[in-house]
Amino acid sequence: GRDDDIAAVASLLRSSRVTSIVGPGGLGKTRLAHVVSRRAEQRVVQFVALAGVAADDDVAGEVASALGAGEAGRAPVGQRPVPTDLPGGIVAALGPGPVLLVLDNCEHVLRGAAELVGALVSMTQDLRVLTTSRAPLGLSSESVYLLPQLSLPTTVELFRQRARAAGPGAELPAGLVEEVCRHLDGLPLAVELAAARVRAMSVAEIARRLED
């Protein structure tokens, strides 16, 4: 159910230096970014997850570490390490030519991500950056793609697929499956969590217990 979204994001990447897939948690932003990056026109694609980064000031270091570039210089014991030019090191690690850099889960380090992306874009010509976040970076070079919820028919089909995988013998009455799916707000993660419950309960029981 994401073919149109894949095409839209790919189109934005051709026309914009920075593209951000934006939406609430559980909507499938990371999965969409993986699919887009696998089909990217750029010969080099680098995917960096930022979910484990605790502070804005650590974003550049995390990206540099993931790319094997720009680590702080070593210093004698008792002295602070001398920081290197992290954006410059990242650019060098990315190399020349068309490159796609994907930064996943930027919402909790928006300032750090925005500062790094702004610096990288200003230092390069062929770099494209794709981010996933619950909010845009706020850069002038950024195009924002607001990822929509899944349609009800797609939600139902996803529920059926995941339910069959979780419980191959489970009964999936059409009306009850649709009733459950109407409560799930078109969120793929919610669909997958609900469908996994068919191992232990019927669809009717799932529907009765879904209050929120």
Side-chain angles (χ1 to χ4, degrees), residues 112-190:
E115 290 176 355
L116 176 61
V117 171
L120 295 179
V121 168
S122 69
M123 297 169 66
T124 60
Q125 293 183 341
D126 294 326
L127 175 66
R128 291 289 189 274
V129 180
L130 176 64
T131 76
T132 72
S133 180
R134 298 186 187 186
L137 300 183
L139 298 172
S140 60
S141 56
E142 177 186 26
S143 291
V144 176
Y145 185 72
L146 297 175
L147 186 61
Q149 299 172 342
L150 295 178
S151 67
L152 181 60
T154 301
T155 302
V156 169
E157 178 59 26
L158 179 60
F159 183 95
R160 288 184 173 278
Q161 289 183 10
R162 295 296 185 265
R164 291 192 190 103
E171 294 186 6
L172 304 173
L176 287 173
V177 169
E178 183 170 322
E179 179 184 344
V180 168
C181 290
R182 288 184 184 279
H183 287 281
L184 300 177
D185 296 333
L187 296 173
L189 179 60

Side-chain angles (χ1 to χ4, degrees), residues 1-211:
R2 290 296 194 197
D3 291 343
D4 291 344
D5 302 308
I6 294 168
V9 173
S11 178
L12 288 176
L13 281 174
R14 296 187 193 100
S15 59
S16 302
R17 297 294 306 277
V18 182
T19 299
S20 293
I21 303 172
V22 174
L27 197 54
K29 301 184 295 296
T30 296
R31 189 172 299 182
L32 178 61
H34 275 294
V35 174
V36 171
S37 65
R38 286 198 298 268
R39 303 181 184 183
E41 299 172 354
Q42 288 76 14
R43 66 178 183 84
V44 176
V45 178
Q46 298 285 358
F47 199 105
V48 181
L50 299 180
V53 178
D56 290 287
D57 294 339
D58 296 333
V59 171
E62 178 67 19
V63 175
S65 177
L67 300 180
E71 295 182 358
R74 294 185 179 276
V77 176
Q79 295 183 21
R80 297 181 62 183
V82 179
T84 59
D85 175 17
L86 289 176
I90 292 170
V91 169
L94 291 171
V99 180
L100 174 62
L101 175 63
V102 184
L103 301 180
D104 186 40
N105 291 119
C106 297
E107 56 270 358
H108 60 298
V109 284
L110 280 176
R111 179 180 62 79
E115 290 176 355
L116 176 61
V117 171
L120 295 179
V121 168
S122 69
M123 297 169 66
T124 60
Q125 293 183 341
D126 294 326
L127 175 66
R128 291 289 189 274
V129 180
L130 176 64
T131 76
T132 72
S133 180
R134 298 186 187 186
L137 300 183
L139 298 172
S140 60
S141 56
E142 177 186 26
S143 291
V144 176
Y145 185 72
L146 297 175
L147 186 61
Q149 299 172 342
L150 295 178
S151 67
L152 181 60
T154 301
T155 302
V156 169
E157 178 59 26
L158 179 60
F159 183 95
R160 288 184 173 278
Q161 289 183 10
R162 295 296 185 265
R164 291 192 190 103
E171 294 186 6
L172 304 173
L176 287 173
V177 169
E178 183 170 322
E179 179 184 344
V180 168
C181 290
R182 288 184 184 279
H183 287 281
L184 300 177
D185 296 333
L187 296 173
L189 179 60
V191 175
E192 294 182 354
L193 292 173
R197 294 295 183 92
V198 301
R199 295 191 188 100
M201 61 183 70
S202 68
V203 176
E205 289 173 318
I206 296 173
R208 284 197 296 271
R209 296 191 183 196
L210 263 180
E211 298 180 356

